[in-house]
Amino acid sequence: MSSGKVHVEHCKGVNGLDKVILREIRRCSAEVYLYGGQVTSWKNAHGEELLFVSSKLKSTGSLEQYGFARNRIWSIDLDPPPSPSDISHKAFVDLILTHSEEDMKIWPHRYDCRLRVALGPTGDLMLTSRIRNTNTDGKSFTFRFAYQTYFFVTDISEVRVEGLETLDYLDNLKNGERFTEQEDAITFESEVDKVYLSTPTKIAILDHERKRTFELRKDGLPDAVVWNPWDKKAKSMADFGDNEYMHMLCVEAACVEEPITLKPGEEWKGRQEISAVPSSYCSEQLDPLRLLLRG
């Protein structure tokens, strides 16, 4: 599909895997693989990559680490839910994953999982997920959810995250023990693996070296995961370069502390939108209170 404004191309990618490329009139782009329903690239109008993907990335991962949706081939959804009236000026693709007999051996439930990946007119990357319980046996199911969003940053030691100040978090480096954030902003000088709880709908990631700010907006996902493996952990990971920790930061909208439960016929919806703007534009608006109240 293409027009004078947007372009959507279905083609082959790495190892012959199917992918969809979204392009906007301002030359922003995104790349989505049907394997895992994964967004592997998001570029601005200057062609700069905004997402981090390890040079040693493996396509597959364990169920415990990623969930089985990451290891399945999704289909392009030809019968998506009705679109908002403003979707016509966005480049987008709808993907769907449904239960299979193989899945039933791992997770004995029937479901529909839908993902819309869209590029806004200014290059914002929008992810909208819908999960429906299609069980016919009357059984509910429960799940947790997270978007694994890895941002490309110039130098992790020059990055800060704002919007999570004073919040409680679970520290996965300390067996999930609960603490309260004491810092005015989150900075990085060692391994971090935290789940912030009851977070605001907007979070900012400031890359001072690049003078760029990522603004993350979310709905239906109360928590936020912040992760960087740092040097020692990075060297122990088979799918991660030894020094790549310096150029990445994971900040992902999630639902972790209180799992989602759906009865048959019920549907859950979650959404994450990210934009990249010059830091000088955002700096005066990133006071935590202003961040909460803005827009």
Side-chain angles (χ1 to χ4, degrees):
M1 179 184 74
S2 63
S3 68
K5 292 185 177 182
V6 300
H7 179 78
V8 180
E9 178 185 359
H10 186 182
C11 56
K12 297 292 184 180
V14 176
N15 297 326
L17 295 173
D18 289 316
K19 70 177 182 179
V20 176
I21 300 175
L22 309 177
R23 292 190 179 91
E24 248 291 329
I25 188 171
R26 299 187 186 187
R27 292 184 290 184
C28 305
S29 67
E31 189 177 85
V32 189
Y33 273 81
L34 271 59
Y35 188 92
Q38 299 176 72
V39 180
T40 57
S41 176
W42 173 41
K43 293 181 180 179
N44 62 17
H46 304 292
E48 297 172 324
E49 183 57 66
L50 303 173
L51 298 181
F52 168 83
V53 176
S54 174
S55 61
K56 294 187 175 183
L57 177 69
K58 295 180 179 179
S59 295
T60 60
S62 67
L63 173 64
E64 293 79 10
Q65 187 176 13
Y66 297 118
F68 60 77
R70 173 76 177 268
N71 295 327
R72 298 292 184 266
I73 297 177
W74 294 53
S75 301
I76 294 178
D77 190 357
L78 301 177
D79 187 26
S83 301
S85 58
D86 64 343
I87 198 69
S88 60
H89 62 266
K90 298 182 177 78
F92 70 96
V93 63
D94 288 297
L95 303 182
I96 185 169
L97 181 69
T98 57
H99 67 277
S100 67
E101 292 306 314
E102 183 179 359
D103 293 339
M104 295 289 283
K105 298 174 184 177
I106 302 170
W107 198 57
H109 297 289
R110 297 174 180 269
Y111 65 90
D112 282 343
C113 183
R114 298 173 187 267
L115 171 66
R116 169 168 287 171
V117 182
L119 273 179
T122 58
D124 294 0
L125 178 63
M126 290 162 279
L127 307 176
T128 304
S129 295
R130 298 172 183 265
I131 298 174
R132 176 177 290 274
N133 183 337
T134 60
N135 278 334
T136 57
D137 57 7
K139 291 183 179 179
S140 300
F141 62 65
T142 299
F143 62 96
R144 291 180 171 86
F145 185 95
Y147 286 116
Q148 289 187 309
T149 311
Y150 290 15
F151 294 98
F152 176 82
V153 298
T154 312
D155 181 350
I156 187 61
S157 65
E158 296 294 325
V159 171
R160 59 188 285 155
V161 177
E162 297 187 355
L164 303 177
E165 302 81 5
T166 74
L167 298 181
D168 285 357
Y169 64 87
L170 307 179
D171 193 335
N172 290 325
L173 301 181
K174 298 181 179 179
N175 298 314
E177 190 174 348
R178 191 178 185 122
F179 298 91
T180 300
E181 183 59 63
Q182 302 295 327
E183 301 298 327
D184 292 336
I186 301 166
T187 56
F188 303 90
E189 53 187 27
S190 62
E191 183 181 356
V192 174
D193 189 353
K194 298 177 179 179
V195 180
Y196 287 84
L197 309 174
S198 301
T199 59
T201 57
K202 298 179 184 179
I203 301 169
I205 301 100
L206 286 74
D207 183 343
H208 292 296
E209 189 80 12
R210 183 73 60 152
K211 295 183 173 59
R212 173 188 293 148
T213 295
F214 294 104
E215 188 175 279
L216 185 154
R217 298 173 291 279
K218 59 191 180 67
D219 183 56
L221 295 159
D223 306 322
V225 176
V226 178
W227 177 74
N228 182 286
W230 218 251
D231 54 351
K232 186 177 179 180
K233 180 72 171 288
K235 291 177 182 177
S236 71
M237 298 170 64
D239 58 353
F240 207 93
D242 289 356
N243 296 313
E244 289 183 329
Y245 75 94
M246 299 174 62
H247 305 297
M248 67 77 63
L249 178 63
C250 173
V251 180
E252 53 182 321
C255 185
V256 176
E257 185 184 32
E258 296 185 8
I260 302 154
T261 297
L262 296 178
K263 298 176 182 178
E266 288 185 338
E267 182 180 82
W268 168 85
K269 178 181 177 182
R271 187 172 182 273
Q272 174 180 281
E273 180 177 345
I274 50 179
S275 56
V277 297
S279 290
S280 56
Y281 171 79
C282 267
S283 59
E284 66 182 19
Q285 303 178 54
L286 291 178
D287 172 90
L289 180 59
R290 293 184 183 180
L291 191 66
L292 268 168
L293 297 177
R294 184 177 164 204

